[in-house]
Amino acid sequence: MKKEYYKLFFLTVTTVFLQLIKLNAQQINSAKPNFIIILTDDQGYGDLSTYGNPTIHTPNIDRMAAEGQKWTNFYVAANVCTPSRAGLLTGRLPIRSGMAGTANHRVLFPGSKGGLPANELTIAELLKQNGYYTAHIGKWHLGSQPQYLPTHNGFDYYFGIPYSNDMDLIDSVPYPKAIAEPKNEYFRVPLMRNESVIERPAVQNTLTERYTREAVSVIEKNKNRPFFLYFAHNMPHVPLFPNARFKGRSKRGTYGDIIEEIDWSVGQVLKALKDNGLDKNTCVVFISDNGPWKLFKELGGSSGPLFGAKGNSYEGGVRVPAIFWGRGLVAPRFVAEPGSTLDILPTFLSLAGGKLPQDRILDGYDLSGVLRGKQEKSPRDEFYYYHADVLAGVRKGPYKLLFYSSNSIGYPADFKKLDTPALFNLDEDISESNNIASKHPEVVKALELLAEKHSATVEKVEDQLSK
Ligand code: MG
């Protein structure tokens, strides 16, 4: 009798428990996931402790990597700011949208008349069509004329600087001095809320802290509806303005202090998700927009084991740290498969249950199968390296074929066509130090053919950056 009673009790408890799990799973599945992109500016592949930096301590970013997916072959769409961001937000190579630039106009400047064309569709516009609230905090750099601002590109809210933090330099201070001994008043950069300038020059020492407060507020205010937050730090792009709370903390000097504050900021974002019960239904991506600006020596970052820097098409210019995090959404794993910021748009749309536009060429792949742990291999197996509007190289599998050489620190570009293309096996030679073209003529041929096929899909459009 007693035994029967226990059996019944056990069965009832189990049934109720299973029902609760089912209900909870249904709730999670029916709610669209939230998305957060945290983008840093000019941070290198070797500037985080989880990617091997020995003196910069980034425990919050490291935790994201340990609990989520750390990608080690992840590429941005271009080796400098403006085209890289255009590729990220549209899922299209910037050469297709007129945002690739030319040898002499590689990014937008405060006086530029161009910007991301209105017919381009951003992640924000597409998620908005699927019921998302959208906010952009931080650096924009896709056009500062009124018609090109974030609020005209799918974002419900904007708080940030519309271009780089080293622009709008006053005439009386030469650029090298302004970078070496920066003062806020040297750079007349505007801080904007939506379409209004609220501070000029922006006080940059507290920028990361204020951006973070804004990001946390976006999370808190939108906890009951799906949201997309594009959080793009202006740092660690020079001039480096450390926050008093972080100054002198890192053995790496001011650059390290800046990265450690960004790490603190990541911790605040993750904490806000947890505090608001959103940590199981939010996908957070941490990436950089291009390689480190080595021209500025200790004020710039490190490419780690990679060759090259911001401004060139060696790995150090375009391969960036990329971490995907999201409890219940992202299966923890180390991913050595290729991926790109171009893939974020189709991946988010897939996770949100939305549809991709069919009237244009997209250059991204849906990585959601890999993120969810259902797929071992990345759907991306190739990558096209653009230097402004020129195809500088192509990768397929482990092989990279380079058609041009550049200055290894990126500036001046010194971009020259090679007499014969150089071939590297990136899986075995991460530093591009061993040209194996003469040993593998058949691979060279196959990659040349791939480059030709790709180039045939590119149509001529008006360049926006030289306007
Ligand atoms: Mg940049």
Side-chain angles (χ1 to χ4, degrees):
M1 187 62 201
K2 209 172 175 187
K3 209 172 161 190
E4 286 301 307
Y5 173 78
Y6 275 125
K7 212 169 154 185
L8 190 68
F9 177 73
F10 179 71
L11 266 172
T12 315
V13 168
T14 313
T15 314
V16 170
F17 184 65
L18 285 174
Q19 283 300 326
L20 277 173
I21 288 179
K22 210 172 139 192
L23 207 70
N24 201 18
Q26 275 170 352
Q27 273 173 348
I28 288 170
N29 289 339
S30 64
K32 286 181 189 291
N34 308 301
F35 300 107
I36 301 178
I37 297 174
I38 301 174
L39 182 73
T40 53
D41 195 356
D42 293 3
Q43 180 217 303
Y45 191 80
D47 290 324
L48 305 172
S49 34
T50 180
Y51 280 79
N53 192 289
T55 45
I56 304 177
H57 187 213
T58 52
N60 293 297
I61 299 167
D62 297 2
R63 181 160 59 91
M64 272 182 78
E67 293 176 357
Q69 293 189 357
K70 176 161 86 172
W71 290 60
T72 55
N73 279 269
F74 204 88
Y75 293 96
V76 287
N79 57 36
V80 287
C81 295
T82 297
S84 170
R85 287 151 203 266
L88 163 68
L89 285 186
T90 62
R92 279 154 59 78
L93 282 165
I95 190 79
R96 301 195 198 279
S97 57
M99 297 297 281
T102 61
N104 296 324
H105 297 91
R106 299 180 62 193
V107 297
L108 288 167
F109 284 89
S112 301
K113 296 275 173 285
L116 189 67
N119 58 358
E120 290 296 323
L121 289 169
T122 66
I123 301 176
E125 283 166 310
L126 291 168
L127 287 176
K128 214 167 146 55
Q129 289 171 10
N130 284 274
Y132 278 70
Y133 173 81
T134 55
H136 175 29
I137 310 292
K139 174 174 170 175
W140 174 237
H141 217 181
L142 292 175
S144 54
Q145 302 298 328
Q147 72 273 27
Y148 294 121
L149 288 172
T151 41
H152 290 258
N153 276 288
F155 290 99
D156 293 315
Y157 179 65
Y158 177 52
F159 180 84
I161 293 176
Y163 34 77
S164 298
N165 62 328
D166 65 337
M167 293 178 172
D168 276 337
L169 183 67
I170 57 169
D171 290 339
S172 56
V173 186
Y175 188 83
K177 181 183 155 53
I179 298 299
E181 300 158 41
K183 290 197 169 101
N184 282 302
E185 54 272 28
Y186 292 168
F187 307 91
R188 293 196 65 257
V189 286
L191 179 65
M192 303 184 74
R193 193 184 299 282
N194 295 320
E195 293 168 25
S196 310
V197 174
I198 58 166
E199 186 177 294
R200 191 169 196 169
V203 176
Q204 296 199 38
N205 304 75
T206 53
L207 209 50
T208 298
E209 187 177 346
R210 288 187 285 167
Y211 281 175
T212 305
R213 273 209 300 271
E214 289 278 336
V216 168
S217 156
V218 166
I219 293 168
E220 284 169 351
K221 284 184 189 153
N222 295 284
K223 63 179 173 186
N224 293 321
R225 57 174 164 175
F227 65 83
F228 166 50
L229 168 61
Y230 172 43
F231 183 4
H233 289 279
N234 275 90
M235 299 286 150
H237 191 294
V238 295
L240 301 177
F241 282 102
N243 187 319
R245 296 196 299 130
F246 289 84
K247 207 174 171 184
R249 265 208 199 186
S250 167
K251 268 181 120 171
R252 172 61 174 81
T254 306
Y255 185 88
D257 297 342
I258 299 272
I259 299 289
E260 292 195 9
E261 186 180 15
I262 289 174
D263 180 75
W264 162 82
S265 169
V266 169
Q268 294 299 300
V269 169
L270 297 184
K271 182 178 180 298
L273 292 175
K274 190 159 191 285
D275 291 349
N276 290 282
L278 300 171
D279 53 327
K280 289 185 183 65
N281 198 31
T282 304
C283 179
V284 184
V285 188
F286 182 91
I287 33 167
S288 177
D289 72 329
N290 50 247
W293 210 351
K294 284 192 182 171
L295 177 67
F296 293 102
K297 302 195 168 71
E298 74 277 9
L299 301 178
S302 160
S303 307
L306 307 176
F307 184 64
K310 170 182 178 174
N312 63 41
S313 293
Y314 298 117
E315 295 296 293
V318 284
R319 203 196 286 198
V320 294
I323 301 166
F324 289 79
W325 178 95
R327 293 186 177 127
L329 284 171
V330 179
R333 191 189 146 193
F334 170 82
V335 186
E337 294 282 308
S340 169
T341 47
L342 294 163
D343 305 332
I344 290 178
L345 180 147
T347 303
F348 281 6
L349 260 287
S350 167
L351 291 170
K355 286 202 176 66
L356 290 175
Q358 300 297 317
D359 62 343
R360 61 197 67 208
I361 294 176
L362 287 175
D363 294 291
Y365 291 90
D366 175 5
L367 304 179
S368 65
V370 183
L371 293 186
R372 288 186 180 282
K374 290 179 181 161
Q375 219 173 301
E376 179 80 16
K377 280 194 83 65
S378 169
R380 173 178 290 281
D381 190 36
E382 89 288 325
F383 184 72
Y384 301 97
Y385 300 80
Y386 272 90
H387 182 92
D389 53 352
V390 179
L391 185 64
V394 56
R395 174 177 178 170
K396 176 137 179 89
Y399 294 108
K400 173 181 185 177
L401 190 68
L402 266 179
F403 306 115
Y404 286 79
S405 68
S406 312
N407 176 354
S408 69
I409 64 161
Y411 291 81
D414 205 10
F415 187 63
K416 282 192 208 112
K417 184 141 195 183
L418 291 163
D419 294 336
T420 54
L423 182 72
F424 303 97
N425 180 327
L426 294 175
D427 284 352
E428 295 173 354
D429 175 20
I430 190 174
S431 307
E432 295 167 275
S433 59
N434 184 21
N435 179 2
I436 52 170
S438 60
K439 272 198 232 163
H440 297 285
E442 74 294 348
V443 178
V444 172
K445 196 145 219 154
L447 287 178
E448 280 175 331
L449 206 65
L450 192 66
E452 270 172 43
K453 264 187 164 168
H454 162 75
S455 295
T457 70
V458 176
E459 285 172 20
K460 189 122 191 75
V461 290
E462 187 189 14
D463 174 53
Q464 294 290 327
L465 274 48
S466 52
K467 279 187 173 180

